[in-house]
Amino acid sequence: MMNPHYALFKQSHIGSETYMPNEHSSINDEHLEYFQFCGRIVAKAIYDGQLLDCHFTRAFYSQILGGRVSWRDMQAVDQDLYKNFVWILEHDIDDMEVHGEAAFGSRWRAVYVCVCGSL
């Protein structure tokens, strides 16, 4: 499942043993079916009380369980984004205009950030 040639999962950052879905998985036309198959394998292992030799990021676990992803979860997903969140929280940005673009799956979307005291 974690073989990088399958393009389903990738390491969260260099040297890490945690994995997250690969945003380029759509290069394989049947990637959704493969993700479904991987989900069934993970569910079967959990049901049977077996340990898997792979770990997912906290953000991915939160999404699997239907929870909300916190900005703190981004540390394992995108180190630079996490550092920018921390910088924003530690500095006064009242006079700063913040905008940018972010990738969601295979689509790009403009993201406008409003800092309202908490993230």
Side-chain angles (χ1 to χ4, degrees), residues 5-65:
H5 297 297
Y6 298 150
L8 293 175
F9 296 97
K10 66 177 187 174
Q11 288 183 318
S12 60
H13 49 81
I14 303 298
S16 175
E17 292 299 321
T18 58
Y19 293 90
M20 61 184 182
N22 188 339
E23 66 269 13
H24 301 293
S25 64
S26 62
I27 62 169
N28 184 336
D29 292 335
E30 298 175 345
H31 70 284
L32 296 178
E33 288 83 8
Y34 288 128
F35 277 124
Q36 185 177 25
F37 177 72
C38 292
R40 288 180 176 172
I41 290 188
V42 170
K44 177 70 170 143
I46 292 170
Y47 182 79
D48 290 343
Q50 299 296 314
L51 295 176
L52 293 174
D53 191 24
C54 64
H55 305 280
F56 297 111
T57 61
R58 187 172 27 183
F60 189 52
Y61 282 130
S62 293
Q63 290 176 331
I64 290 172
L65 297 173

